[in-house]
Amino acid sequence: MKLNQLRYKPLNGWLRGAVLGLITTIVATPPTHALIPYVYEPSPLELKGASLGIGRTAAQLLQLGQPKEAALLAALAVRLQPEDERLWSIFAEAQLRSDQLDAASHSLARAKQLNPKKAGLWFAEASLALRDNRPADAVSLLIQGLELDPDNAGAYFDLGNARVMQANLQIALEAFEKASGLKPTFWEAVNNQGIVLFEMGKIKAAINRWRRVLQIKRNAEPMLALAAALNQINPGSTEALALANQALAENPNYVLPRHQKEQLWGERLRQATSHLLTNPNLRSAVERAEANADTNQ
């Protein structure tokens, strides 16, 4: 058949209806697509903002004395923003206060890698070394940190503690004096001067330091230390007994030789305190302190 011989032939009734129905169905029915859920992906800027907010919350939890909760939040913060040394610092501090010493060391190393010019990171790592009974490492870290921040009283205080642990008392005394010189209200530094002076046999100088401390802060540690020193000069003195009574009432842990040693009290001061606490007039105070002391510390 030739093409020009084709002729249009109308469709019969039922076929025409079927075709029209099919056309109507095709036109009226929208195309079907697979269901794809919408997932919001935050921008890098939003992630950074979120991580800083989480980091601030972690820091607030540290201030409230909740280091374990702070560590969980800080872990999330550093995952969101792994290039911010401030977040690693908070993470390390939370780990340190949670006694996760190895993890804290890793976090501090990461923070120092990101910002080696931040003195606080060197000081924090030195504190970790002191906690881990590594005074030589602490001294090295503190000296490097003080090159970046030479007027940091807290760093000189830690340096003094490290020198005490090394039994280098004269240099320890100089560090504590530097700390209190930078911050005159730093009673802990003045108190430790007294501890060092007592071990050096300079009892009257130690007494003067502890009296100075009590003008700044009425704290149990210098009270009991002063009482022990006064009792050594004048056994059974009224002032010594009164100070000892008050000290043990405020902090019964100081009745424990182990606690005294943890606070870096030297052998001479511990012996003088032990002698003081044998005084019959302190028997009740000593018994109460022993009952209330935290032996699991």
Side-chain angles (χ1 to χ4, degrees), residues 157-169:
F157 179 76
D158 281 350
L159 183 59
N161 286 333
R163 293 303 192 184
V164 169
M165 294 169 70
Q166 292 180 319
N168 198 332
L169 299 184

Side-chain angles (χ1 to χ4, degrees), residues 153 157 176-191 193 212-218:
F157 179 76
F176 291 134
E177 288 176 339
K178 180 70 173 178
S180 63
L182 289 167
K183 186 179 178 183
T185 58
F186 199 167
W187 69 266
E188 295 94 339
V190 182
N191 175 67
Q193 292 168 30
R212 179 180 157 196
V213 172
L214 295 179
Q215 292 175 351
I216 303 170
K217 176 79 173 181
R218 300 291 295 183

Side-chain angles (χ1 to χ4, degrees), residues 169-170 173 193-207 210 229 232-233 266-269:
L169 299 184
Q170 182 58 45
L173 179 62
Q193 292 168 30
I195 292 173
V196 170
L197 286 166
F198 194 91
E199 293 306 307
M200 296 170 71
K202 300 178 180 180
I203 299 177
K204 290 185 178 180
I207 288 173
W210 285 319
Q232 184 145 323
I233 292 176
E267 185 66 29
R268 287 185 178 183
L269 184 54

Side-chain angles (χ1 to χ4, degrees), residues 226-237:
L226 177 58
L230 291 171
N231 186 70
Q232 184 145 323
I233 292 176
N234 183 14
S237 77

Side-chain angles (χ1 to χ4, degrees), residues 261-274:
K261 189 175 182 179
E262 287 172 354
Q263 302 307 308
L264 298 183
W265 284 25
E267 185 66 29
R268 287 185 178 183
L269 184 54
R270 296 201 306 275
Q271 287 180 354
T273 303
S274 176

